[in-house]
Amino acid sequence: LALASLATATSASARPWTLQDAVQAPFMDDVQLAPNGSAALVEIDRTDVAKNSFATQYERVAIASGAATALPEDLNHPRWSPDSKSIAWITPVKDASTLVLTDASGERRRAFPSGGRNVVAFSWSPDGRTIAAVETLGPAKSGGRLFWFSGETDYHGTRPPRRTLWLVDVASGVQREITTASDSWSYGGPVTDHDPSWSPNGDRLAVVRQPTPVYGDFEHAQYVTVNVRDGTLAQIVNHPFFAYPESAPPVFGRYGAIAYTHTWDGQLAAREDVFVNGRDVSASIDRDLWSCSNGSIAWQSGMLVINLLDGVAMRLYAIDPTGTTGPKPLTAEDGSVVAFSIARDGTIAYIWTTGDRLPELYVRTDDGQTRQVTHLLHLSAELPVTTTQTLRWTDGDGHTLHGLLTTPFSGRSSAPLVVEPHGGPQCADPIGFDGVAQFLASNGYAYFKPDPPGSDGYGDWSYKAIVGNWGSLPMAADFAGIDALVSSGAADPKRTFIEGGSYGGYLTSWIVTHSNRFRAAVADVPVTDLELDYTLSESPNITRRFFGEKPTVNSALLAEQSPQSYVAQEKTPLLLIIGLRDTRAPYVQAIEFYKALLENGATVQLLADPLAGHGPADPQGFMDWWSATVAWFARYGGLAMSDAKLP
């Protein structure tokens, strides 16, 4: 067990966090640096509990002084012009969204009407005269009552609109579609939407397209260049490849080189690497560029800068695409980079957060000097903050595993423990400020988020370790981490609880059907029947990655790996929470699981949220789900809290 010393900050007026405190903790999650490096646009996320809404607003920050000016809330997705004199934005107009142009201060608006189309993403041409935009015509419509399902359609028949490519003349505002009439592909989709990337001379765009805009068709996406004059296409990758949903899109660099990402070996369950003109340039790092959809790439002159999960931290690395020099980390491993942007002179503006520090804007100059630019986000002085530590242990197979641990503010030993398996399964929780962790710790719980095999942040071995084995291997690894934690005296072995969502809900359900270790458990939006999940989900590829390209042919393995098959063994008080709009892990399987558990005499209850999909999307839903979770724990020996409430 390797555990750094605990650090806490308290004051005489300190009080425990409430769920409202947790949901209202501000965040910063986008930065756009002007090409000349003089100013940056940063997105601030705040919560309006009274209106039950999450609000975003950009602020313009002077890099030299850190002075910030708030901009109107209806301005989103900003992109600077190449000369840094103008900013283009997306703004809502009636039932659509369109482009508007402002000056460098965010003032003096000029609208570009889009004819009722919705602008999804866009980018400036190198000469600043043209904007390439990805646009839609609104919700897809069928010719009648009936419409065709495909092998990728989810059980709700979700049909997002097709994306097309348009050019906007900045001087006149005239728009021209460049996708040809014979081209029925969608230039983006729910998890492939992105800004087009212009070639240095402005004659081509690098984009992602998929056969239809249906979510699951990301699996069949292509990377292509589009000639802006006549719409002709050329494939960037001339062989079959696989890229994960929300992968970093292809990006043009100097002299026409294109950087793009896909799995290094062509397998579905594999590390995603960065390629330049067919050459793998990030293999030596042995870390996954996808990073649970958080990875990104950008050119810095002739070098590449990438952001990926390395251990428990999202870190910036510089990569020489020629291979002359090896990869170089640009940020430390005790915090995470949320987003970054690069100026022409090589200056990098990035948002940085740690376990005890809210995100703020930093800059790193080309000579390696780093400084904090903003101090915009604050918490109430009465809210204590404790540091989240990295816990490390071995799995018995030669691997060092890790997880994040937040302990109670009192520092007392043997605290009641909440364990949270993460979603994915190819995900992990990067170190960074976490309002839920502060809420649980300030109310007396130790909070542990382990990263078993299958998690991001390790090497390629991690993904391959859970092919055909979603349950027993990750469970054993998590138990080894809990054992190490308990043996250190930091947690009470008799008062341990578990909760998780999505794949974390799967692993929670698997664990309680294979162990009686926990006093109580909560599984949010869980996967409990792998075959049913595969046939109904909007993302059937998740099952294909780990159980073969034709999972239903291997139904015996799916049954063997499904918690549904082990309901007779379940003895832990279990709360299931589902969203009735969930198309990712369709809720019908949780109902099936619930009824089977009931008939086998288990202590189980199910809460249904008619407004939620794959988890709640509003502040009240967030608080209601967590309130029910801690109330369930309190019912079975956990801590009493003022926020704990079951319907």
Side-chain angles (χ1 to χ4, degrees):
L1 174 69
L3 177 62
S5 60
L6 303 180
T8 60
T10 60
S11 67
S13 60
R15 61 167 177 81
W17 282 55
T18 65
L19 283 172
Q20 184 165 318
D21 295 325
V23 77
Q24 287 184 318
F27 203 74
M28 185 183 292
D29 66 2
D30 182 37
V31 57
Q32 298 294 322
L33 182 61
N36 65 10
S38 63
L41 304 167
V42 295
E43 182 182 1
I44 310 296
D45 299 337
R46 291 188 172 89
T47 301
D48 188 331
V49 172
K51 295 181 179 179
N52 193 30
S53 65
F54 294 110
T56 62
Q57 183 175 24
Y58 276 87
E59 298 206 11
R60 185 186 186 279
V61 177
I63 296 299
S65 66
T69 304
L71 300 174
E73 292 184 8
D74 66 332
L75 295 177
N76 301 290
H77 198 81
R79 298 295 183 263
W80 291 89
S81 62
D83 62 6
S84 303
K85 295 181 179 179
S86 302
I87 310 167
W89 310 75
I90 296 176
T91 190
V93 178
K94 293 184 179 179
D95 295 327
S97 58
T98 190
L99 289 172
V100 297
L101 196 68
T102 70
D103 61 20
S105 298
E107 300 175 344
R108 302 179 64 183
R109 293 194 190 196
R110 175 189 164 208
F112 294 114
S114 57
R117 296 182 301 277
N118 292 291
V119 178
V120 176
F122 67 91
S123 59
W124 291 80
S125 64
D127 62 10
R129 297 178 179 178
T130 309
I131 291 174
V134 179
E135 302 182 4
T136 75
L137 284 173
K141 298 179 180 178
S142 66
R145 274 176 73 165
L146 300 179
F147 66 93
W148 293 107
F149 257 54
S150 74
E152 310 299 346
T153 304
D154 65 75
Y155 78 116
H156 275 174
T158 305
R159 289 173 291 156
R162 176 171 167 258
R163 281 78 160 148
T164 54
L165 285 174
W166 293 73
L167 295 181
V168 183
D169 181 82
V170 174
S172 67
V174 172
Q175 298 202 26
R176 172 174 68 89
E177 185 177 358
I178 59 172
T179 40
T180 62
S182 61
D183 184 359
S184 64
W185 286 59
S186 180
Y187 284 77
V191 285
T192 54
D193 286 333
H194 64 287
D195 290 335
S197 177
W198 287 84
S199 62
N201 64 5
D203 67 340
R204 291 172 295 156
L205 297 170
V207 292
V208 181
R209 70 174 193 162
Q210 58 185 65
T212 77
V214 168
Y215 180 109
D217 261 345
F218 80 84
E219 185 177 356
H220 313 292
Q222 296 178 346
Y223 296 158
V224 299
T225 60
V226 180
N227 187 299
V228 299
R229 180 177 57 82
D230 58 15
T232 54
L233 301 173
Q235 291 203 42
I236 297 170
V237 183
N238 293 308
H239 58 77
F241 69 90
F242 175 70
Y244 294 116
E246 298 184 89
S247 289
V251 183
F252 269 109
R254 182 182 289 183
Y255 310 124
I258 303 176
Y260 53 89
T261 64
H262 59 71
T263 56
W264 73 275
D265 58 1
Q267 301 300 306
L268 298 188
R271 181 191 70 224
E272 193 169 87
D273 284 358
V274 184
F275 294 78
V276 176
N277 295 339
R279 180 174 178 271
D280 190 336
V281 300
S282 67
S284 62
I285 301 177
D286 193 22
R287 292 291 185 270
D288 176 47
L289 191 281
W290 181 58
S291 299
C292 199
S293 79
N294 292 312
S296 54
I297 57 178
W299 287 92
Q300 186 190 47
S301 187
M303 298 286 285
L304 280 168
V305 176
I306 65 174
N307 191 23
L308 50 66
L309 189 60
D310 181 15
V312 298
M314 290 294 300
R315 303 180 69 189
L316 293 181
Y317 273 82
I319 295 180
D320 179 358
T322 69
T324 304
T325 59
K328 176 185 177 183
L330 303 180
T331 55
E333 58 187 355
D334 61 342
S336 288
V337 173
V338 179
F340 74 99
S341 182
I342 304 177
R344 265 193 304 268
D345 66 359
T347 297
I348 303 173
Y350 62 95
I351 298 170
W352 171 262
T353 179
T354 69
D356 60 350
R357 298 171 68 180
L358 291 165
E360 291 290 353
L361 180 65
Y362 292 72
V363 293
R364 185 185 192 278
T365 55
D366 203 28
D367 60 3
Q369 298 297 310
T370 300
R371 67 180 176 88
Q372 183 173 347
V373 176
T374 64
H375 299 82
L376 294 175
L377 305 188
H378 305 283
L379 298 170
S380 169
E382 61 185 359
L383 292 179
V385 174
T386 189
T387 300
T388 296
Q389 308 291 333
T390 302
L391 182 73
R392 293 184 174 86
W393 68 97
T394 59
D395 66 352
D397 291 323
H399 300 121
T400 297
L401 303 180
H402 49 60
L404 298 176
L405 174 66
T406 309
T407 52
F409 296 102
S410 64
R412 72 172 189 244
S413 61
S414 297
L417 175 66
V418 173
V419 179
E420 182 180 323
H422 61 66
Q426 292 169 255
C427 289
D429 295 301
I431 191 167
F433 195 86
D434 182 349
V436 169
Q438 302 298 329
F439 164 70
L440 291 172
S442 67
N443 282 280
Y445 280 111
Y447 182 43
F448 180 42
K449 297 191 286 186
D451 297 325
S455 303
D456 200 3
Y458 301 119
D460 187 59
W461 69 268
S462 179
Y463 291 178
K464 291 178 167 56
I466 62 166
V467 170
N469 187 352
W470 265 24
S472 58
L473 180 63
M475 180 180 78
D478 283 355
F479 278 17
I482 297 168
D483 289 341
L485 180 57
V486 168
S487 66
S488 73
D492 184 350
K494 296 181 180 180
R495 300 177 75 189
T496 60
F497 305 86
I498 187 169
E499 60 82 22
S502 194
Y503 172 77
Y506 165 90
L507 197 52
T508 297
S509 301
W510 178 273
I511 285 172
V512 298
T513 54
H514 289 77
S515 168
N516 300 327
R517 178 167 193 153
F518 296 96
R519 293 282 292 269
V522 179
D524 299 336
V525 294
V527 174
T528 54
D529 183 329
L530 284 171
E531 186 162 9
L532 192 57
D533 183 75
Y534 170 67
T535 56
L536 301 181
S537 175
E538 69 181 358
S539 190
N541 177 270
I542 296 174
T543 312
R544 293 189 189 112
R545 290 177 216 168
F546 299 97
F547 298 98
E549 294 189 11
K550 298 180 179 180
T552 58
V553 175
N554 212 1
S555 58
L557 177 59
L558 296 184
E560 175 192 311
Q561 290 290 306
S562 295
Q564 179 70 30
S565 299
Y566 306 96
V567 291
Q569 303 172 187
E570 207 280 333
K571 304 298 180 186
T572 305
L574 175 64
L575 174 64
L576 300 166
I577 310 180
I578 58 174
L580 298 185
R581 298 179 180 180
D582 192 355
T583 52
R584 185 72 52 83
Y587 64 85
V588 291
Q589 63 191 307
I591 296 176
E592 175 193 43
F593 189 51
Y594 166 66
K595 290 186 176 180
L597 288 168
L598 276 180
E599 292 178 1
N600 278 276
T603 301
V604 60
Q605 288 187 260
L606 187 150
L607 284 174
D609 185 340
L611 301 181
H614 197 56
D618 62 303
Q620 190 60 55
F622 169 88
M623 291 187 289
D624 286 350
W625 286 43
W626 265 106
S627 178
T629 297
V630 293
W632 188 258
F633 294 161
R635 176 181 289 184
Y636 295 99
L639 299 172
M641 300 184 191
S642 58
D643 275 333
K645 183 180 179 181
L646 287 165

